[in-house]
């Protein structure tokens, strides 16, 4: 019997993260013994290399603006575990989490005994907690983010209203494959019979995989740049503005408070999925709701401004595709400023390419550092990162990120930008520092 919140977290985080053989059989057994709570839920399923979290946030706010109560399941968390299971943006309470753990723990113990080393993983337990929570705390729609990949992800036992695949890039290659088509095949695993699929801006070879999988499943793909389109309408304020075209929907001057061309793509992808979901439910999409929902969306750790003077932002860009987007954002919005970047990256990422991509932006100055990686995953050391920096005079090192922060603040002027980035886990640590200071 788990009695405290700390014990509940210990139970969850004490589980294996992965098993040797990927399978959904164990997850289906697990949920059957809990009464298959997922079967009572109306859901939208979101996969992709990058952009999942922001797309989930846009979907949540679009549904909420239209009057729905919305559940979300996201990963990883930025500040507290509870964020992963939220209702209308409000995380599950500590007491509710304890109650849920006590509900699933006996089933986990049974499966541990029957399956020996192959009992439920940490993420399977997270997913089970989420399904149980929303089955007993009813919502109109649950937006479910895939944890890793798609085909064998523990969330992939559902049949959603709409499936969403935001982006495809090279990440988690040891698990998902070392080419774009291999990774796309894993993501395409969430495509279900007769369920429409919305894709963001995908490489051609990835979109070909999606189209073929959809044909095999008797459905079709709606893809950004082919079936729906966006046009950037430059915005002087913090955020982005764009025009959107899909089917009979034509919108001008849609505004989002998140920065970056990729956030326009994420917003458009969410809007298309929302439109198809509402049609499937026999509901209409109204202009006022769309504008209100998109404008309201915030997502912690995604080019989030944590200080105005001097301007300090944090961003969870954690792989090479995300760094390419980041470099483009810096060129578009901060070309007239010096940009100081405190960079810390997990050692299992493509840190050589990530460092090189940032140094292609001429006004960027890097301060390479490290942080305490999650669990068994180590951060790349400053020396390893410097080895990737090709002896640039725009690169310095710091033993830890508070030292790096101090160095940057002592060097930059009032007009410059300070950005801390390289890992969502790093950003979680940094965000505590800035947000706790506000209290």
């Amino acid at each position: 019997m788990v009695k405290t919140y700390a014990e509940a977290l210990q139970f969850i985080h004490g589980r294996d993260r992965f098993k040797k053989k990927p399978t959904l059989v164990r997850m289906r057994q697990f949920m059957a013994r809990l009464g298959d709570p997922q079967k009572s839920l109306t859901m939208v399923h979101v996969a992709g290399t990058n952009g999942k979290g922001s797309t989930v946030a846009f979907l949540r706010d679009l549904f909420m603006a239209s009057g729905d109560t919305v559940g979300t399941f996201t990963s990883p968390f930025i500040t507290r575990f509870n964020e992963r299971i939220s209702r209308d943006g409000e995380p599950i309470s500590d007491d509710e989490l304890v109650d849920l753990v006590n509900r699933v723990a006996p089933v986990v113990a049974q499966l541990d005994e029957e399956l020996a080393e192959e009992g439920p993983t940490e993420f399977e337990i997270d997913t089970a907690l989420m399904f149980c929570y929303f089955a007993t705390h009813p919502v109109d729609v649950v937006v479910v983010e895939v944890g890793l990949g798609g085909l064998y992800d523990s969330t992939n036992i559902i049949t959603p209203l709409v499936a969403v695949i935001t982006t495809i890039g090279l990440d988690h290659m040891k698990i998902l494959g070392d080419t774009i088509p291999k990774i796309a095949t894993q993501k395409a695993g969430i495509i279900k019979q007769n369920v429409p699929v919305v894709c963001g801006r995908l490489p051609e070879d990835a979109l070909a995989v999606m189209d073929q999988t959809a044909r095999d499943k008797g459905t079709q793909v709606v893809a950004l740049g082919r079936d729906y389109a966006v046009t950037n309408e430059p915005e002087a304020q913090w955020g982005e503005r764009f025009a959107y075209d899909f089917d009979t929907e034509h919108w001008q001057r849609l505004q989002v408070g998140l920065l970056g061309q990729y956030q326009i793509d994420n917003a458009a992808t969410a809007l298309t999925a929302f439109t198809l979901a509402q049609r499937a439910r026999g509901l209409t999409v109204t202009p006022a709701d769309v504008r209100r929902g998109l404008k309201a969306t915030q997502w912690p750790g995604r080019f989030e401004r944590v200080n105005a003077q001097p301007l300090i932002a944090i961003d969870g860009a954690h792989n090479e595709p995300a760094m390419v987007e980041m470099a483009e954002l810096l060129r578009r919005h901060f070309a007239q400023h010096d940009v100081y970047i405190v960079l810390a990256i997990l050692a299992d990422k493509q840190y050589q390419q990530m460092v090189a991509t940032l140094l292609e932006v001429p006004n960027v100055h890097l301060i390479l550092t490290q942080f305490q990686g999650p669990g068994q995953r180590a951060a790349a050391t400053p020396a390893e990162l410097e080895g990737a920096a090709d002896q640039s005079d725009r690169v310095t090192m710091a033993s830890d990120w508070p030292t790096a922060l101090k160095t940057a603040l002592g060097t930059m002027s009032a007009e410059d930008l300070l950005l801390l980035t390289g890992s969502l886990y790093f950003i979680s640590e940094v965000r505590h520092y800035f947000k706790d200071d506000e209290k």
Side-chain angles (χ1 to χ4, degrees):
M1 181 82 173
V2 167
K3 293 180 181 174
T4 67
Y5 175 71
E7 288 174 359
L9 289 187
Q10 191 174 9
F11 170 78
I12 294 165
H13 296 320
R15 306 293 302 186
D16 291 339
R17 294 191 71 221
F18 299 106
K19 297 297 183 184
K20 290 177 185 174
K21 187 180 175 186
T23 177
L24 288 177
V25 172
R26 177 177 53 247
M27 189 64 195
R28 289 197 175 101
Q29 284 180 286
F30 190 7
M31 298 318 300
R33 294 190 189 193
L34 288 166
D36 280 324
Q38 78 281 2
K39 291 185 176 176
S40 67
L41 306 176
T42 299
M43 291 176 274
V44 175
H45 206 187
V46 181
T49 300
N50 291 321
K52 295 190 296 293
S54 299
T55 302
V56 168
F58 283 123
L59 276 163
R60 174 198 66 203
D61 290 337
L62 285 165
F63 281 116
M64 284 177 63
S66 68
D68 285 319
T69 302
V70 187
T72 51
F73 181 57
T74 55
S75 63
F77 61 89
I78 298 297
T79 307
R80 295 187 86 226
F81 176 87
N82 306 44
E83 297 162 26
R84 299 189 60 179
I85 303 170
S86 294
R87 194 170 183 267
D88 285 353
E90 286 297 314
I92 183 174
S93 73
D94 294 358
D95 288 345
E96 286 168 329
L97 187 65
V98 169
D99 290 345
L100 282 172
V101 166
N102 282 319
R103 180 177 167 191
V104 305
V107 178
V108 171
Q110 285 174 13
L111 291 169
D112 281 347
E113 194 171 329
E114 292 169 24
L115 303 174
E117 299 293 310
E118 294 299 313
T121 65
E122 177 178 344
F123 194 75
E124 286 168 343
I125 290 169
D126 295 342
T127 307
L129 294 170
M130 177 269 295
F131 287 144
C132 290
Y133 179 68
F134 291 125
T136 54
H137 297 74
V139 293
D140 297 305
V141 180
V142 184
V143 186
V144 176
E145 179 184 337
V146 166
L148 178 64
L151 182 61
Y152 294 111
D153 188 76
S154 61
T155 63
N156 201 30
I157 60 169
I158 69 174
T159 301
L161 282 178
V162 180
V164 182
I165 295 155
T166 56
T167 60
I168 302 289
L170 295 173
D171 196 19
H172 298 294
M173 290 182 286
K174 288 182 180 175
I175 299 168
L176 302 180
D178 57 2
T179 68
I180 292 291
K182 285 179 185 175
I183 292 171
T185 299
Q186 290 292 319
K187 308 286 186 191
I190 72 164
I191 297 174
K192 303 293 193 308
Q193 203 77 30
N194 301 320
V195 173
V197 185
V198 176
C199 290
R201 202 177 295 279
L202 302 191
E204 281 186 24
D205 47 357
L207 185 54
V209 172
M210 300 303 158
D211 284 334
Q212 184 57 56
T213 307
R215 280 193 293 271
D216 293 344
K217 298 285 186 181
T219 187
Q220 64 181 37
V221 170
V222 178
L224 178 56
R226 182 184 72 187
D227 307 300
Y228 65 103
V230 291
T231 307
N232 191 351
E233 299 176 329
E235 171 61 69
Q237 305 301 314
W238 186 276
E240 302 286 357
R241 189 172 60 198
F242 64 100
Y244 168 85
D245 291 283
F246 168 57
D247 198 13
T248 57
E249 308 290 343
H250 307 286
W251 312 82
Q252 298 291 324
R253 301 175 67 82
L254 293 174
Q255 284 188 289
V256 296
L258 302 177
L259 211 55
Q261 172 66 39
Y262 53 94
Q263 295 296 9
I264 294 177
D265 290 354
N266 293 337
T269 301
L271 178 51
T272 307
F274 169 72
T275 301
L276 292 177
Q278 294 298 77
R279 288 178 184 176
R281 299 164 74 203
L283 301 172
T284 56
V285 175
T286 65
D289 292 346
V290 167
R291 292 186 186 282
R292 190 167 68 253
L294 291 179
K295 200 169 183 180
T297 302
Q298 296 181 333
W299 194 234
R302 274 62 171 192
F303 218 90
E304 180 184 7
R305 183 168 42 180
V306 292
N307 197 72
Q309 199 65 29
L311 180 57
I312 303 174
I314 59 175
D315 191 279
H318 61 287
N319 51 35
E320 170 60 5
M323 279 306 169
V324 171
E325 298 282 12
M326 173 64 67
E328 183 56 32
L329 185 158
L330 295 174
R331 287 188 189 98
R332 276 187 58 222
H333 289 277
F334 298 99
Q336 307 308 313
H337 308 263
D338 275 325
V339 178
Y340 290 83
I341 298 180
V342 174
L343 186 68
I345 305 173
L346 287 171
D348 58 6
K349 297 293 182 178
Q350 295 175 291
Y351 57 81
Q352 294 94 339
Q353 293 95 317
M354 294 166 74
V355 169
T357 295
L358 289 175
L359 284 174
E360 287 171 8
V361 184
N363 53 325
V364 157
H365 308 266
L366 293 184
I367 304 171
L368 308 175
T369 189
Q370 60 191 340
F371 68 106
Q372 183 66 47
Q376 303 299 311
R377 299 175 72 190
T381 66
E384 286 171 325
L385 295 177
E386 189 189 33
D390 199 25
Q391 307 300 309
S392 170
D393 60 1
R394 291 183 285 133
V395 176
T396 56
M397 291 196 297
S399 57
D400 54 62
W401 71 261
T403 303
L405 180 62
K406 198 172 180 180
T407 300
L409 290 171
T411 309
M412 64 189 286
S413 71
E415 293 76 38
D416 298 337
L417 166 69
L418 172 56
L419 171 66
L420 297 97
T421 189
S423 164
L424 280 165
Y425 296 103
F426 172 45
I427 293 316
S428 175
E429 203 172 303
V430 171
R431 195 171 188 275
H432 273 293
Y433 172 84
F434 283 101
K435 294 301 177 181
D436 288 351
D437 276 0
E438 292 176 3
K439 292 172 185 173

